[in-house]
Amino acid sequence: MGRTSSLSGVSLTRWSKVLGLGLWLVCATWWGPPLSLAADAGKLVEKDGKYVFVESMDPATKLLLERAVKQGTITREEYEAVARESQERAYLLQPSFKVWYDRGFNFSMNDNAFFLKMRFRTQIRFTQRTRNEAYRNPGEAKNFPELLGVFGDYRANRSEDSAAQFNIRRMRMYFMGHLFSPDFKYYIQMRAETAENAQAPGGLALMDVNFSSTHLSWLNAQVGQYKMFFNRSQINSTASMQFAERALVQDAFTASGLDRRDIGITVMNDEELFPVNYYFGVFNGAGPSFNRLGSFQSEEPTQGCPGGATGGNPFPSPAGCPVNQRNLNANVRLDVNKLMYVGRLMWNIMGRPGYGEGDLAYSESPQLAMGGGYAYNPSINTSSNNSFVGIDLANLNFRRQLAAFGNGRQLGLGIVDYSTWAVDSVFKYRGFSLQGEFYFKNVTRHEKGLPCMNTACTVTAPGQFGNAFGWYVQSGYYLIPRKVELAGRFAYWDPDTHSGDDLVKQSDVSLNWYLNGTYDQSIAVTYSNIQMGTGGYAVGRSAPLPSASGTVPLDVRGGTLIENLIRVQYQLFF
Amino acid sequence: MNGRSQSAAMLVAVLVLIGLGCARIPYTTTVVHEDQRVAVRLQREITPAGYTHPVQISPQQMAALLRGFSLREQQRLPLRWFAEETPPKKLFREDELQVLAPQLADALQKVGSEERVYFEVFAPGMNPRYRRDVTGGWVAVHDQLLHLTIDYFHVQQPVTQSDPYDYNYPTPWTPEKTYLLYFEPGRFFLADPKTGRRSVDFREFLKTTSSP
């Protein structure tokens, strides 16, 4: 019994020490100074534009040595020698890495030759929507249709008149820094979020991975996957928006017409040094984490004969093609040698307003910039152009991107070339901000005739697809400088200039509270009114319908879709 | 609301916002000095201040005044219950005083009665390529009283102009913090009858120091 008690006593004492040490460590970490594993004996000091390590000798030792020099106990040479040795020793003993927290977890290694910063950002949102009767019927089938199954059938997006949801709208993980030297940077962004209208839970996905060389200020280069330098609203981070969400028109006019991100290379000059900035990029033009080899359409075993359809020989089928066969077909990749080209020029007329929306920094002097971009993305397959709804076997990635970004009216037009222009301007001064953009997109079909609706092409679409254009203007003012902002926005979008009653008009008002004067913590309450016309012709959704697509189009009952939303969003960036 | 009236309402709203775009926090009127180590600027107050500027204080006297200050950060509750027990830290090191005091003394001779002297002392940050260490604040003189306010004490701040709106990780400057200031000898640290804020009776204090 006594032995047991004694053992327990020893054990208890040991555990109490361990617990005490643990508690001390927790407290020291919590209330103590920032953790730094760098030697305290020295400091990196900037001198003549270079950073040098200056050792500070232990003050007591230094005092004693200096007195010894004065008293003549040691010579000045001996003092300098021992000081030098002390510096060398301290330098050698210090770890060659530092770890600290400063808006992210920072790791600096090999005297800053390698640097890693890890950050996380989340936007948690509550959305209250009310929709008019038109959302129940006809629903939204043209700009944002839903694509179903392997054939990509068009479906109208319909819903009841109100919805209330919580959503993790954004969850991002950042890994960034430099390798070998501060002029060779890397940037990786992962996402783990679910879009508001997603039909499946989101998983972890790669958003950005790119490397940048900044060795030459006039010729920086960035390679990898990232947001293309094309227009202001897309270059800007969603962390620094004045509203909980981008306007619909901003998403519809990306450089590729598919997504704001792509894989490629951009050369540019240093935005910090030059008032006029250029950007020129070459990309796949296929959207993020994808390339054109992944996009295919069906072909019969006989070369040049469109395949993949059921119910007979598809159209427009070249003469001499055999009767279509159901099971044995090929996936053919066409136009895989095409690339997308993107250019942008920006002039910082006054100051450096940057790309972030609003004037959180409370500019003391007026900040003004204007810019413009052009993008050419050839041979995008909006449908395989050999069949229509329900019998069109092809890779659907392009089509899903078109529908997700509001370009659903361009579905079914066959192979198209996109030429997109954007001009923008921004002004900021003392908490006030004003910015706007104008977009224009020219859509060129490779098939020059009207889209056929039957094999003999005796029934066609009523007209050709036109072009698309849109604009927005937004303004904000900090009611409390750097803390509370009130912002308004109006956006206008004509998705098809040859169609009537298809305009999209959006008005937003947002009240934003930046809790500590940065983007690291903010609460945004954004009210939006969106009016979307359902008029105009869209292949596969309007009369005349393609053969075998039924007799009642999705837009048999027209009207304007009206939606009112209130989004309450909390952002945490750490 | 039709399209025309909607546009008109937007235009009016924009004009109102531009009209409201007047200063609401002090703003820079003159850059007295700026280099990699220190920046000193004159800032216009937004409400009548009635300072007794300009004022003649030598660099040595300014250094002696600044040498007497110490501070600690004022924490929010409930951390304040613990953090207030932290002993104050010396505000400036000698190397900082050497570069700052002459510039402040010079600025106080140029500053107007409705302006204050804003300063920042820089040092390389934890990662000098991206951050610098900033200690900043402002001084002003009311009669015989010298006011000092510290906004940043060795705070890591971004280096480049484009950092606040960087399109990968926008990083505005860390906002000002509140610091509790102390001055030794304490008998010269008095409440200003005009503002109620604690400030240094610098004329009396300088009598106790040797002349430059």
Side-chain angles (χ1 to χ4, degrees):
Chain A
M1 189 74 174
R3 192 176 174 188
T4 309
S5 298
S6 171
L7 283 172
S8 300
V10 171
S11 174
L12 195 65
T13 308
R14 186 177 297 161
W15 275 109
S16 66
K17 284 180 180 173
V18 171
L19 278 172
L21 182 63
L23 194 63
W24 180 83
L25 280 171
V26 168
C27 292
T29 308
W30 190 259
W31 287 299
L35 177 64
S36 170
L37 296 182
D40 290 326
K43 187 159 188 174
L44 209 57
V45 173
E46 187 176 359
K47 188 178 181 184
D48 301 330
K50 295 179 179 176
Y51 292 97
V52 292
F53 185 85
V54 176
E55 206 276 330
S56 54
M57 190 189 289
D58 171 58
T61 310
K62 194 174 180 182
L63 178 69
L64 290 173
L65 286 171
E66 282 174 352
R67 281 197 180 160
V69 172
K70 278 184 186 171
Q71 291 165 1
T73 314
I74 60 171
T75 64
R76 169 60 63 181
E77 289 72 29
E78 285 172 326
Y79 168 77
E80 287 175 357
V82 76
R84 204 163 41 245
E85 283 171 18
S86 170
Q87 288 176 10
E88 286 174 6
R89 180 174 174 275
Y91 185 79
L92 290 171
L93 286 177
Q94 70 158 342
S96 60
F97 64 93
K98 288 191 286 186
V99 182
W100 74 100
Y101 178 83
D102 170 32
R103 297 186 185 185
F105 303 95
N106 297 268
F107 304 84
S108 176
M109 284 148 273
N110 294 22
D111 289 340
N112 205 31
F114 297 86
F115 177 60
L116 165 66
K117 179 189 273 287
M118 288 195 296
R119 293 198 79 175
F120 300 85
R121 178 165 66 94
T122 186
Q123 289 179 346
I124 299 170
R125 178 186 294 177
F126 174 77
T127 307
Q128 175 69 53
R129 298 166 187 267
T130 57
R131 291 173 162 178
N132 70 345
E133 183 57 31
Y135 264 98
R136 186 66 187 83
N137 186 15
E140 178 17 49
K142 293 184 175 172
N143 297 313
F144 297 91
E146 294 181 341
L147 301 180
L148 187 71
V150 294
F151 296 104
D153 292 359
Y154 303 122
R155 316 282 286 197
N157 181 350
R158 293 177 170 177
S159 71
E160 292 180 324
D161 61 359
S162 71
Q165 311 138 57
F166 287 97
N167 182 236
I168 298 177
R169 179 62 187 89
R170 291 185 177 86
M171 175 62 225
R172 305 286 169 84
M173 284 158 277
Y174 304 88
F175 304 88
M176 53 200 164
H178 57 249
L179 302 167
F180 315 121
S181 92
D183 281 316
F184 188 67
K185 299 179 173 66
Y186 66 93
Y187 180 78
I188 299 168
Q189 183 179 188
M190 309 289 292
R191 73 172 176 205
E193 62 205 29
T194 306
E196 282 181 338
N197 57 351
Q199 296 176 28
L204 189 64
L206 177 73
M207 287 199 91
D208 294 301
V209 55
N210 57 75
F211 300 89
S212 304
S213 162
T214 56
H215 294 86
L216 298 173
S217 60
W218 54 275
L219 189 71
N220 291 347
Q222 184 167 316
V223 63
Q225 178 170 302
Y226 48 93
K227 288 196 286 189
M228 291 166 281
F229 296 91
F230 173 62
N231 61 11
R232 172 166 292 280
S233 61
Q234 300 294 334
I235 295 171
N236 177 37
S237 167
T238 50
S240 50
M241 294 198 301
Q242 288 179 299
F243 305 88
E245 203 58 80
R246 289 189 179 94
L248 297 179
V249 69
Q250 295 172 333
D251 283 342
F253 291 86
T254 58
S256 67
L258 303 172
D259 194 288
R260 59 185 71 91
R261 287 182 168 79
D262 216 295
I263 305 170
I265 184 169
T266 299
V267 292
M268 63 192 103
N269 60 1
D270 192 328
E271 295 167 0
E272 185 73 11
L273 299 177
F274 299 97
V276 177
N277 305 126
Y278 76 89
Y279 311 80
F280 177 72
V282 183
F283 298 86
N284 282 336
S289 301
F290 197 65
N291 62 61
R292 288 174 187 256
L293 282 171
S295 180
F296 58 81
Q297 61 190 64
S298 286
E299 185 179 58
E300 286 196 61
T302 305
Q303 182 180 330
C305 295
T310 57
N313 204 11
F315 66 89
S317 192
C321 286
V323 174
N324 181 256
Q325 53 189 59
R326 175 67 184 86
N327 294 320
L328 290 179
N329 286 291
N331 291 335
V332 59
R333 278 84 175 170
L334 303 173
D335 298 316
V336 290
N337 61 340
K338 297 287 196 299
L339 292 169
M340 178 179 70
Y341 302 92
V342 182
R344 175 175 170 79
L345 269 177
M346 191 179 74
W347 179 22
N348 290 297
I349 301 166
M350 290 189 273
R352 288 286 191 284
Y355 284 102
E357 297 173 0
D359 191 22
L360 179 66
Y362 194 84
S363 310
E364 282 200 332
S365 58
Q367 311 284 307
L368 176 65
M370 61 182 301
Y374 171 73
Y376 175 68
N377 193 15
S379 298
I380 294 301
N381 190 347
T382 64
S383 74
S384 60
N385 207 29
N386 58 10
S387 293
F388 290 98
V389 183
I391 52 173
D392 181 17
L393 265 173
N395 181 279
L396 299 177
N397 190 29
F398 283 177
R399 287 177 231 185
R400 292 196 192 286
Q401 291 184 74
L402 286 168
F405 276 67
N407 291 312
R409 287 175 186 268
Q410 293 151 27
L411 290 168
L413 298 177
I415 313 290
V416 300
D417 298 336
Y418 288 129
S419 292
T420 312
W421 287 264
V423 292
D424 61 78
S425 188
V426 62
F427 175 76
K428 299 178 181 180
Y429 185 47
R430 290 180 177 171
F432 170 78
S433 65
L434 176 67
Q435 80 171 54
E437 286 187 73
F438 178 83
Y439 308 114
F440 179 79
K441 184 190 288 180
N442 178 252
V443 183
T444 306
R445 293 180 65 229
H446 285 201
E447 293 290 331
K448 296 304 175 192
L450 291 171
C452 299
M453 295 297 127
N454 61 11
T455 306
C457 205
T458 54
V459 181
T460 63
Q464 290 280 18
F465 184 85
N467 297 308
F469 80 92
W471 55 269
Y472 75 86
V473 61
Q474 67 186 55
S475 183
Y477 184 69
Y478 275 82
L479 303 173
I480 301 173
R482 298 174 183 160
K483 290 281 187 182
V484 178
E485 180 190 33
L486 181 64
R489 174 174 67 193
F490 181 75
Y492 180 96
W493 171 23
D494 185 352
D496 178 3
T497 52
H498 286 181
S499 289
D501 301 322
D502 64 337
L503 298 180
V504 181
K505 296 173 185 173
Q506 179 173 349
S507 307
D508 309 85
V509 178
S510 195
L511 186 65
N512 310 316
W513 178 24
Y514 301 90
L515 275 66
N516 51 6
T518 68
Y519 299 111
D520 297 353
Q521 253 197 114
S522 65
I523 296 171
V525 181
T526 303
Y527 164 77
S528 301
N529 173 275
I530 302 172
Q531 301 178 29
M532 207 178 310
T534 62
Y537 179 81
V539 174
R541 289 150 281 177
S542 309
L545 287 169
S547 58
S549 290
T551 56
V552 183
L554 285 170
D555 62 352
V556 64
R557 180 176 164 183
T560 299
L561 305 163
I562 300 174
E563 184 177 38
N564 289 288
L565 307 93
I566 294 178
R567 293 179 170 116
V568 182
Q569 178 172 284
Y570 172 66
Q571 171 167 282
L572 183 62
F573 200 2
F574 63 99
Chain B
M1 189 184 280
N2 62 29
R4 184 169 293 179
S5 58
Q6 205 167 26
S7 303
M10 283 291 292
L11 184 65
V12 169
V14 167
L15 291 174
V16 167
L17 286 173
I18 291 173
L20 287 171
C22 52
R24 288 158 299 139
I25 55 178
Y27 58 94
T28 301
T29 54
T30 310
V31 177
V32 177
H33 178 84
E34 189 160 5
D35 62 25
Q36 292 192 325
R37 195 76 178 93
V38 65
V40 175
R41 306 183 192 102
L42 307 185
Q43 286 189 337
R44 179 93 181 168
E45 294 281 7
I46 52 166
T47 53
Y51 297 129
T52 45
H53 296 155
V55 65
Q56 188 89 25
I57 300 176
S58 73
Q60 292 81 357
Q61 289 172 331
M62 181 55 71
L65 278 162
L66 295 178
R67 203 172 280 124
F69 282 99
S70 56
L71 86 174
R72 64 183 176 198
E73 187 181 341
Q74 185 172 40
Q75 300 283 354
R76 293 176 185 171
L77 288 171
L79 282 179
R80 194 182 297 173
W81 296 331
F82 307 98
E84 292 291 34
E85 298 306 318
T86 309
K89 293 178 183 172
K90 204 78 177 161
L91 176 56
F92 293 112
R93 298 190 308 262
E94 279 304 312
D95 63 304
E96 293 171 329
L97 290 175
Q98 282 175 17
V99 295
L100 177 63
Q103 301 301 339
L104 281 186
D106 180 38
L108 282 171
Q109 293 178 37
K110 297 173 179 171
V111 66
S113 62
E114 295 303 322
E115 293 175 319
R116 64 192 196 179
V117 178
Y118 182 81
F119 63 88
E120 287 163 346
V121 181
F122 307 119
M126 291 292 281
N127 188 335
R129 181 74 176 211
Y130 306 115
R131 296 283 189 273
R132 59 183 174 185
D133 177 296
V134 178
T135 296
W138 56 275
V139 294
V141 172
H142 249 149
D143 300 327
Q144 82 283 11
L145 297 174
L146 179 110
H147 291 262
L148 172 69
T149 298
I150 296 299
D151 295 331
Y152 314 104
F153 181 65
H154 295 293
V155 173
Q156 300 284 305
Q157 298 285 21
V159 170
T160 62
Q161 295 179 79
S162 49
D163 273 328
Y165 302 117
D166 186 285
Y167 35 76
N168 285 331
Y169 41 103
T171 313
W173 267 49
T174 301
E176 300 86 350
K177 295 179 178 176
T178 305
Y179 296 93
L180 299 173
L181 279 171
Y182 304 91
F183 185 80
E184 292 293 335
R187 66 179 184 278
F188 298 111
F189 205 38
L190 312 170
D192 186 337
K194 287 182 182 171
T195 63
R197 294 177 51 215
R198 303 263 285 175
S199 40
V200 176
D201 186 339
F202 72 97
R203 298 216 185 275
E204 288 301 314
F205 170 75
L206 292 177
K207 288 176 186 170
T208 66
T209 61
S210 55
S211 306

